[in-house]
Structure formats: C-alpha cells, structure tokens
Amino acid sequence: MKKITYIFSLTTLLLASSCSNDSDAIETSAIEITFDNRISASQDLDLGTTVYMNQNNESVVTNELKYIISNIALIQDNGTVFEYPKEDSYFVINEEDSSSLTLSLTGIPVGNYTQISFGIGVDQSKYPLDGGVLNFIPQAEATGMLWNWAAGYKFIKFEGTFTPQGGTESPFAIHVGSHGQNLDNYKFVTLPLANTINISAGNTASVTVEAYVQSIIDATNQIKLEDTSDIQIDPVNAPRIAKNLESTFSAE
C-alpha cells in the first residue's frame, strides 16, 4: 500500500511540475524589419538614377549602398528589453538585393513594443576578424563588406558620382569601418516607433526602418565631396561619417 501511495505521489508531482513549466514558458512570435533606403523622407532612391543636391551644392547620384546592421534589440512599453541572439544578429543591407532588405526574426516575446535598437557595423567584441562572427564573415566577404582579414569590416559602402556646381562629374567612394581599437566607428542607435507594435502569438508583426542617404554626408557633419571624394581608412573623415550615421535612420 505504501508503494502505491509513493508512485501516486511521484506522478502527481511530475504532472504539477509539467504544468508549472508550461505556465512559466514565455510566449513568442515573429517580426519582419524592412529597411527602406531613401534620399529623404520625401524622395525615394533609385540606384544610378536619382539625383539630389547636397548642402554644398553638389549633385549626387548613388550607384551602390550597403551597410551592416547588428545587435538588434526591441524595447517594450514597460521598459523590458529583448536582445536578439547576438550570434544571429549580423546582417548586410544591400539596396541592390531586395531580399536583403527585410529581416525575419523569430522567438520575439509577445508584447507591445515602442522602440527598436541596432548597431551600425560590427562592435568591438567581434574584432578582430579571427575572433569575430564566424557565420557572418562569408556573407560580408561575398557582399564586398570586408577590406581583408586584417583590416576588418566595412560598416557602410556608399559609392556614386557627384557634380560640383559648374564643374564636371566625378566618382566618390565612402567605405567606413573600425580599425582595431584605435579607430572605433561602430555606432548604436535607439529609435522610437511611430506606432506601438503589438507582437502576438500566431501573427508576424512588421516595422519599417527608413534610411536617409542624404544624411550620410549631410547631417551633424557636412562632407564636401569636391574636397574629399574618397573616404576609407581616414582617421579624420571616417569618424565624421560614422557620426552622421546616427542621424540616418528613422522607424515607422
């Protein structure tokens, strides 16, 4: 009789534990984050076609636009922060490749979200490359977002042509990244969402992040392309571009 009672008690305990674990499980769902690259809020971007005038009266045409997004986090209306798993949180946004513009993230806790955060580039914890994000390196290399194994990642690759007022058309190239710990151009931004995003079970939420190309060279710092049209491993102008990137994005 005691043996039967013991088995019954153990079974009851296991069932109670199972129910408790189920009730404690965090319900999750999915979200799609679409990056909409534009000249400005009122002007769309077509590579090789769209012309805009910068604040230095230079006509600018964008032929290539790529940048790295990393370390995505979502913030709820109660202040709870969900950080997407770091090892899966590095992406190349390539205007020429429409499939790269929408990121599909799963395992997001349900709730009401009012802000989104992300890095522009690759943070110092993943430098140098031999200690980096191993599953991201091939993608970065294939999309031209590496200088080489020693120099590191290109956080942004922005190329095209410009024409000074009364001048002739010339090419420009802006490739900005960190160079070891001495020149850290990684930036992290937190953007308020225009409307609260409700992530609920069984539904995929969506949010659009707009990137304004004109801000890359016309924001906190104004870059005159006629004076400096090739910005790469540049200890003066690369940080100025990186600072501008903090003003480049807006979330809808």
Side-chain angles (χ1 to χ4, degrees):
M1 188 66 176
K2 289 182 179 179
K3 185 176 181 180
I4 294 173
T5 302
Y6 173 75
I7 293 173
F8 175 78
S9 299
L10 181 60
T11 303
T12 303
L13 180 62
L14 290 173
L15 287 172
S17 176
S18 176
C19 290
S20 176
N21 289 340
D22 288 344
S23 63
D24 291 341
I26 298 175
E27 204 169 17
T28 64
S29 193
I31 188 171
E32 290 186 344
I33 304 172
T34 298
F35 285 82
D36 181 13
N37 297 314
R38 311 179 60 81
I39 300 299
S40 63
S42 60
Q43 186 178 10
D44 201 2
L45 169 67
D46 289 316
L47 292 178
T49 302
T50 310
V51 181
Y52 77 94
M53 187 75 71
N54 67 17
Q55 294 185 59
N56 285 297
N57 293 318
E58 297 169 323
S59 299
V60 181
V61 176
T62 304
N63 294 331
E64 183 175 11
L65 178 64
K66 301 174 185 174
Y67 49 88
I68 295 173
I69 293 298
S70 62
N71 301 322
I72 296 172
L74 296 165
I75 299 98
Q76 294 188 28
D77 54 3
N78 63 5
T80 301
V81 178
F82 170 73
E83 296 180 349
Y84 200 68
K86 195 177 183 72
E87 64 273 13
D88 298 320
S89 198
Y90 293 82
F91 308 91
V92 175
I93 305 300
N94 180 2
E95 175 63 17
E96 194 173 28
D97 178 9
S98 59
S99 67
S100 77
L101 302 179
T102 298
L103 311 181
S104 299
L105 309 183
T106 58
I108 313 298
V110 299
N112 296 314
Y113 290 84
T114 58
Q115 299 177 80
I116 183 172
S117 298
F118 53 84
I120 309 163
V122 177
D123 54 290
Q124 284 289 328
S125 71
K126 296 304 179 184
Y127 262 87
L129 289 180
D130 59 3
V133 192
L134 296 181
N135 62 343
F136 177 65
I137 291 173
Q139 181 187 359
E141 187 171 31
T143 53
M145 298 302 281
L146 288 180
W147 272 293
N148 56 51
W149 286 88
Y153 299 98
K154 299 175 184 179
F155 297 172
I156 183 169
K157 191 176 182 184
F158 176 41
E159 296 185 1
T161 60
F162 73 98
T163 306
Q165 196 168 37
T168 58
E169 184 180 77
S170 302
F172 73 86
I174 294 174
H175 302 173
V176 170
S178 291
H179 306 288
Q181 296 182 346
N182 294 326
L183 186 56
D184 183 5
N185 288 316
Y186 176 74
K187 298 297 180 183
F188 193 79
V189 297
T190 298
L191 307 174
L193 300 175
N195 298 293
T196 298
I197 301 296
N198 175 253
I199 295 181
S200 57
N203 294 311
T204 298
S206 62
V207 62
T208 298
V209 175
E210 294 186 341
Y212 302 136
V213 170
Q214 67 177 14
S215 295
I216 299 172
I217 58 174
D218 268 329
T220 303
N221 300 300
Q222 292 184 23
I223 306 297
K224 188 174 183 180
L225 295 173
E226 188 175 14
D227 292 340
T228 176
S229 60
D230 189 353
I231 300 173
Q232 298 194 47
I233 304 176
D234 184 332
V236 175
N237 289 303
R240 297 177 71 205
I241 295 292
K243 181 64 179 177
N244 283 352
L245 293 178
E246 295 180 316
S247 306
T248 296
F249 298 90
S250 175
E252 298 296 324

